[in-house]
Amino acid sequence: KIDHILGYKSNLSNFKKIISSIFSDHNAIRLEINNKNRTAKNTNTWRLNNMLLNKQWLTEEIKEEIKKYLAANDNEDMTLQNLWDAAKAVLRGKFIAIQAHLRKQEKAQINKLTLHLKQLKREQTI
């Protein structure tokens, strides 16, 4: 008898129906999976913001990061697959850090402009 099914709340939207019988211990559970393409972003999936690659300073920084990574890790003990997989993880972390920094700067700029706008409105009403 299955008394419990464990999973994440975020995955509940993947299922259309979970049908079981409460009258018997020997009935099967039928699970219908919602396989429609979802447009909502999955929080567990990271995707590169391609617009970042248009920034020259960023591409130079990434090139330097790749050079540093290869200088430190490209040796005969590391397989090419491991080198590649680890490089992807390092670069993903770098991109995530840069995106977070840019978002923080953008929010600070928005807050600064909002405060300035409120100040101008106050001055106008006086």
Side-chain angles (χ1 to χ4, degrees):
K1 178 178 178 182
I2 298 176
D3 291 326
H4 295 84
I5 297 175
L6 301 177
Y8 294 102
K9 271 186 176 180
S10 60
N11 290 338
L12 284 176
S13 62
N14 294 339
F15 306 119
K16 282 185 186 176
K17 294 180 187 176
I18 301 174
I19 302 170
S20 65
S21 174
I22 59 173
F23 300 114
S24 173
D25 291 344
H26 303 289
N27 285 347
I29 293 176
R30 189 169 116 203
L31 178 65
E32 291 183 19
I33 298 175
N34 184 7
N35 58 359
K36 292 180 181 176
N37 291 335
R38 293 177 299 169
T39 57
K41 291 183 180 178
N42 188 350
T43 57
N44 297 330
T45 304
W46 176 82
R47 292 190 61 160
L48 174 64
N49 179 358
N50 291 334
M51 296 301 291
L52 291 176
L53 299 176
N54 294 335
K55 299 175 188 281
Q56 183 64 31
W57 66 269
L58 180 69
T59 55
E60 294 301 322
E61 194 170 327
I62 294 299
K63 286 177 186 177
E64 286 301 314
E65 187 72 27
I66 291 169
K67 287 178 188 174
K68 285 192 310 189
Y69 173 78
L70 290 176
N73 296 296
D74 192 11
N75 56 45
E76 64 275 352
D77 296 335
M78 174 98 58
T79 65
L80 287 177
Q81 186 63 50
N82 286 347
L83 185 68
W84 172 243
D85 289 340
K88 288 190 297 185
V90 167
L91 292 175
R92 184 180 304 124
K94 184 73 171 176
F95 275 113
I96 289 171
I98 289 170
Q99 268 184 303
H101 176 71
L102 291 174
R103 255 190 249 117
K104 187 176 179 181
Q105 282 183 331
E106 185 179 316
K107 284 183 181 180
Q109 182 69 21
I110 290 170
N111 288 340
K112 182 179 172 183
L113 291 172
T114 303
L115 287 173
H116 184 67
L117 185 62
K118 286 179 182 177
Q119 183 182 9
L120 290 174
K121 283 182 179 179
R122 271 190 237 123
E123 290 174 3
Q124 186 179 18
T125 58
I126 293 177

